[in-house]
Amino acid sequence: MVKKIQDLISEMDTCVLATARQGRPYCSLMAYASHRDGKEIYMVTGRDSTKFSNIMENPYVSLMIDTREKHGKGGRHETLALTVEGRCRPVKDNKERSMAIEELVKKNSHLRHLVESADSEVICVSISSCLLLEGLDRSYFEKIETQ
């Protein structure tokens, strides 16, 4: 099952990022790229954004990655939906940041301007667990081992 989850993460390029601050949820549509092992997901945001402020206060986040766009309304029974839980952090290491930016721009060329902005932060979600839903009646939970 881990392979199916990794394939879904690497195939798609958009997710919904859920953060929380003072017990209040906040969702953001985000472009992303994943690390080759599929255990880390990179995004870019402005330092002054609500989502970044929320992450700095509470680093625990959830992501929703799905294939509904791929299947359309008529193929909803084929849609895969992946809920990811993890911890988010700003990427400070220059080597990791360069790798993340390269992957983000390769997968989402429209992000080039944002990643080059002095006000942007590359963030990384280290995945702790995933719940994959296939249709209405099949679900698979995976706890992801961290190093």
Side-chain angles (χ1 to χ4, degrees):
M1 187 46 55
V2 172
K3 172 90 168 98
K4 192 172 218 170
I5 290 170
Q6 288 174 328
D7 289 348
L8 177 59
I9 290 170
S10 66
E11 175 187 351
M12 304 311 292
D13 63 1
T14 306
C15 68
V16 174
L17 168 67
T19 61
R21 184 179 197 159
Q22 299 174 348
R24 299 182 78 173
Y26 185 80
C27 291
S28 305
L29 187 60
M30 303 289 289
Y32 75 88
S34 61
H35 189 273
R36 289 171 188 85
D37 68 3
K39 294 181 181 178
E40 295 179 321
I41 294 177
Y42 294 96
M43 295 168 275
V44 64
T45 188
R47 249 181 233 108
D48 61 350
S49 68
T50 298
K51 69 184 86 58
F52 188 71
S53 176
N54 289 357
I55 290 165
M56 293 297 88
E57 184 176 302
N58 176 0
Y60 294 98
V61 300
S62 182
L63 306 175
M64 169 62 70
I65 301 170
D66 67 73
T67 62
R68 72 188 126 154
E69 184 178 275
K70 180 176 162 182
H71 300 294
K73 271 190 170 180
R76 292 251 167 104
H77 63 283
E78 297 177 53
T79 297
L80 300 177
L82 181 67
T83 299
V84 173
E85 291 184 332
R87 187 176 176 112
C88 191
R89 63 178 168 78
V91 176
K92 298 299 183 190
D93 178 78
N94 288 334
K95 185 177 177 184
E96 181 183 17
R97 183 178 167 83
S98 293
M99 180 277 304
I101 287 171
E102 181 181 327
E103 293 298 319
L104 281 162
V105 172
K106 182 169 43 173
K107 199 166 189 180
N108 305 280
S109 61
H110 66 281
L111 293 179
R112 181 170 303 283
H113 179 71
L114 182 57
V115 299
E116 292 173 351
S117 166
D119 295 327
S120 71
E121 284 284 344
V122 175
I123 55 176
C124 175
V125 175
S126 297
I127 299 172
S128 58
S129 68
C130 295
L131 177 64
L132 178 65
L133 300 176
E134 294 184 282
L136 298 174
D137 58 353
R138 293 178 312 279
S139 65
Y140 308 94
F141 178 81
E142 288 289 335
K143 183 164 176 53
I144 308 299
E145 296 298 323
T146 56
Q147 299 166 338

